[in-house]
Amino acid sequence: MATVELLFSALPEHVRTARLVAAAVARRAGVDEAVLDEVRLAVGEACSRAVGLHRSVGITTPVRVRLTEDEKKFSIEVGDDAPHTAVAEAVAGSSGTSAMDREEASEAEDDMGLAVISGLVDDVEVSAGESGGVIRMSWPTVPASVLP
Amino acid sequence: MDLSLSTRTVGDRTVVEVGGEIDVYTAPKLREQLVELVNDGSYHLVVDMERVDFLDSTGLGVLVGGLKRVRAHEGSLRLVCNQERILKIFRITGLTKVFPIHTSVDDAVSATD
């Protein structure tokens, strides 16, 4: 079971809330203070992307964020319900132009979001299918005994 | 924290001071501001990001969009930023090669290259 689970309506204004919650849980889990900025940014990118996907396809279900604290790592899963098959290939090729068409904005924000995530997080996995996609990320935690 | 925006003119440059968080929610306001400036004929922009607490790829997209717009008028868009957490995002996306990034507004305003 996830330590904290968050569901939010696919609206841009709630992405900040997801960032704050993720950073707070990560801090408690023992993620290094210096890495919290990365956690905040990565979860924000993943949620922004999920919100964009839901809105572009007109899906009314919420975006899911699962924050899980394990013994040695802290994991975040951001799930969307947008059917997309081309996303995984786009990430694998790390060029990713297929996702651009969905964005109403002219800037390639979606691609840049994935670029930021893959640049920031060492352990990241992006999967996508007919029923939706998930971005899984994890960070090592510092054992409680060595915390100041 | 929400986004704060203020503009002032220094010589032929327009300095846009940005504060707070630039993300998927607030970035449209920054986009509007940049579009408005270009539409009003300000083609040499300096975006001061010293008071920005958070920047994500949506914000980067808006800045790239702004750069495209000023370049269409042979203008420039320079950034002012000393914060490592913000600079890192420009670095991992390769945008340090796209934007001139200065350490002070004075430096950005007097730059001519």
Side-chain angles (χ1 to χ4, degrees):
Chain A
M1 193 203 130
T3 311
V4 172
E5 228 174 310
L6 180 71
L7 298 176
F8 67 91
S9 308
L11 295 170
E13 52 264 50
H14 300 317
V15 171
R16 179 170 189 261
T17 307
R19 285 202 305 269
L20 295 174
V21 171
V25 179
R27 178 181 280 123
R28 271 197 63 86
V31 173
D32 194 273
E33 204 66 28
V35 187
L36 286 178
D37 271 340
E38 295 177 10
V39 173
R40 198 175 288 124
L41 182 57
V43 77
E45 294 292 355
C47 289
S48 303
R49 181 168 171 278
V51 167
L53 289 171
H54 275 214
R55 287 165 69 89
S56 60
V57 191
I59 298 171
T60 53
T61 54
V63 172
R64 300 178 306 277
V65 183
R66 294 167 57 90
L67 310 165
T68 309
E69 180 184 346
D70 288 326
E71 213 171 298
K72 286 181 179 161
K73 63 174 184 178
F74 172 70
S75 318
I76 300 181
E77 277 183 34
V78 176
D80 65 73
D81 292 335
H84 42 120
T85 47
V87 178
E89 290 110 64
V91 175
S94 76
S95 55
T97 48
S98 61
M100 271 180 70
D101 306 331
R102 283 190 295 273
E103 280 291 337
E104 69 272 17
S106 59
E107 288 87 4
E109 288 158 7
D110 188 24
D111 292 350
M112 204 120 69
L114 284 176
V116 169
I117 291 173
S118 47
L120 274 181
V121 190
D122 294 332
D123 182 19
V124 60
E125 187 190 318
V126 182
S127 56
E130 278 307 307
S131 58
V134 179
I135 296 182
R136 291 187 186 83
M137 307 171 274
S138 84
W139 290 265
T141 51
V142 182
S145 56
V146 296
L147 279 176
Chain B
M1 194 201 283
D2 214 346
L3 187 75
S4 68
L5 292 168
S6 66
T7 59
R8 64 180 194 274
T9 307
V10 182
D12 65 338
R13 313 287 165 99
T14 303
V15 180
V16 183
E17 196 181 292
V18 191
E21 302 187 339
I22 311 175
D23 72 354
V24 65
Y25 178 52
T26 61
K29 290 173 203 159
L30 177 60
R31 179 188 287 126
E32 275 168 34
Q33 173 77 82
L34 296 179
V35 169
E36 199 178 301
L37 285 169
V38 173
N39 288 347
D40 291 347
S42 304
Y43 303 139
H44 291 282
L45 307 179
V46 172
V47 179
D48 180 1
M49 306 187 61
E50 282 301 88
R51 289 174 52 238
V52 171
D53 303 312
F54 182 87
L55 172 76
D56 74 2
S57 64
T58 326
L60 292 178
V62 168
L63 292 171
V64 171
L67 183 65
K68 261 168 61 181
R69 286 191 180 88
V70 295
R71 277 192 178 164
H73 299 277
E74 285 163 19
S76 62
L77 193 155
R78 297 171 183 281
L79 304 176
V80 176
C81 182
N82 291 296
Q83 302 186 69
E84 187 49 38
R85 48 148 63 156
I86 304 287
L87 289 170
K88 185 177 182 179
I89 306 162
F90 285 97
R91 228 176 275 132
I92 60 175
T93 50
L95 289 173
T96 43
K97 297 187 191 82
V98 176
F99 290 104
I101 302 179
H102 300 268
T103 53
S104 72
V105 171
D106 287 349
D107 188 30
V109 163
S110 57
T112 51
D113 56 341

